[in-house]
Amino acid sequence: MRAVEASVVFPGPASPGHTLSPLRRGGGDPCYLATADGVIWRTTLMRTGPVTARISRAAPDTIDCEAWGSGATEFSETLPALLGAHDEASGFAPDEPTIAAAHRRVPHLRLGRTGRVLEALIPAVIEQRVAGKDAFRAWRLLVTKYGAPAPGPAPVRMQVPPPADVWRRIPSWEFHLANVDPGRARTVVGCAQRADSLERLTTMPAERARAAMTTLPGVGVWTAAETAQRAFGDADALSVGDYHLAKVVGWTLLGHPIDDDAMVELLEPLRPHRHRAVRLLETSGLAHNPRFGARMAIPNLRVI
């Protein structure tokens, strides 16, 4: 199988690791692998078919990609958007001292967009209201069982995410075995049933697309924001309702924890770049969240 090759040259330094890391669903994600030499392997299901991509830095400002599979040409055409070449940050000039310092540390941070709505939405649904470790395990189990082997010379155990018609037909007991409760399972299936409409959201402004997603049963503001960040590269999609985010923002910017309402008020002057500000804090290493006790135990739904 011959690879489709593509390169993207940026006007300054590029960091594919920073841009693509939000697509990784845990260390065992069968759709994402970062190797010790800086190469990123990613699988996806494009409109034209499955893809395995090998993404690497050829120079400080140049990213190379080799892609295999029937969707490889389409993937290569969308590579600049995926790597954040279309990210518009020219109006971002934060006054808040810590965010300004984060911006100086990683001025080359770019927000990418996959253009694949269902592929971002389903793992976000699985991550609702549960510990990340449990959600990542569920994603790994379901994709490994119901996805397809990655095309081309992919590393072992890499899989392409299932298409919508497969997600719709996963039996309820398989979600149960993956520790996904019936409510989240119904939401996954319901989203898959509306896959065509969801994919058309990429033609809308991101704010309208987020609002449209929240009309689906089981999809709230947090889930829509997490999806928009990845599928649309939405720089303003603030993950309100996240278990940790408000506390992290509070500790980092104010020295004490705050709630969602206070976070929204605090970050309001940064519109339309609130998510960008959060990503800068994360990637710069300035985000701070002290721990005061043991982690919450993960409920085992499989024995209920």
Side-chain angles (χ1 to χ4, degrees):
M1 182 183 297
R2 174 173 290 185
V4 175
E5 299 181 358
S7 295
V8 180
V9 180
F10 292 88
S15 176
H18 285 157
T19 298
L20 299 179
S21 61
L23 304 180
R24 183 185 186 187
R25 308 288 181 169
D29 188 347
C31 306
Y32 189 107
L33 176 66
T35 61
D37 58 357
V39 171
I40 295 170
W41 290 87
R42 168 167 159 74
T43 66
T44 184
L45 185 62
M46 305 298 291
R47 294 173 182 83
T48 50
V51 180
T52 299
R54 182 185 185 276
I55 299 168
S56 59
R57 291 181 66 178
D61 64 347
T62 304
I63 308 301
D64 284 350
C65 176
E66 298 174 279
W68 297 265
S70 54
T73 298
E74 182 187 3
F75 181 88
S76 297
E77 291 167 352
T78 62
L79 183 66
L82 177 69
L83 295 174
H86 303 157
D87 182 26
E88 181 51 62
S90 58
F92 182 67
D95 293 326
E96 200 287 326
T98 305
I99 296 174
H103 195 203
R104 290 192 296 270
R105 282 195 184 189
V106 280
H108 51 281
L109 175 70
R110 295 180 176 88
L111 304 180
R113 56 177 295 161
T114 66
R116 309 302 296 147
V117 179
L118 190 70
E119 201 169 288
L121 178 55
I122 285 180
V125 170
I126 292 173
E127 291 168 13
Q128 291 174 347
R129 305 181 305 277
V130 296
K133 183 177 180 180
D134 189 40
F136 296 154
R137 176 185 176 277
W139 171 253
R140 183 178 72 250
L141 291 175
L142 291 168
V143 172
T144 298
K145 185 162 187 175
Y146 290 99
V156 293
R157 293 188 293 278
M158 290 201 77
Q159 295 280 107
V160 177
D165 64 319
V166 172
W167 283 113
R168 288 195 294 263
R169 292 184 282 106
I170 294 178
S172 60
W173 60 84
E174 292 288 358
F175 284 109
H176 184 77
L177 289 172
N179 218 29
V180 177
D181 62 80
R184 286 182 291 149
R186 284 193 298 270
T187 302
V188 168
V189 173
C191 291
Q193 290 170 339
R194 296 163 176 81
D196 291 343
S197 297
L198 285 167
E199 299 303 340
R200 287 195 291 270
L201 294 180
T202 57
T203 63
M204 289 185 182
E207 187 172 3
R208 283 181 55 199
R210 274 187 272 135
M213 277 188 277
T214 61
T215 65
L216 295 174
V219 177
V221 172
W222 180 87
T223 306
E226 292 284 309
T227 303
Q229 292 162 12
R230 295 161 174 82
F232 311 140
D234 187 346
D236 201 48
L238 185 63
S239 297
V240 177
D242 190 271
Y243 184 75
H244 298 289
L245 183 59
K247 288 180 282 189
V248 170
V249 170
W251 277 111
T252 303
L253 302 186
L254 302 175
H256 60 80
I258 58 177
D259 60 16
D260 279 334
D261 290 342
M263 177 182 69
V264 170
E265 182 179 358
L266 181 63
L267 298 182
E268 181 63 26
L270 292 166
R271 281 184 184 269
H273 295 283
R274 294 176 300 170
H275 171 57
R276 185 186 309 281
V278 170
R279 285 289 297 140
L280 281 168
L281 293 175
E282 293 170 344
T283 56
S284 67
L286 295 179
H288 177 56
N289 185 23
R291 300 194 181 278
F292 297 103
R295 293 179 182 269
M296 184 171 56
I298 298 172
N300 185 358
L301 303 177
R302 291 164 290 169
V303 300
I304 297 175

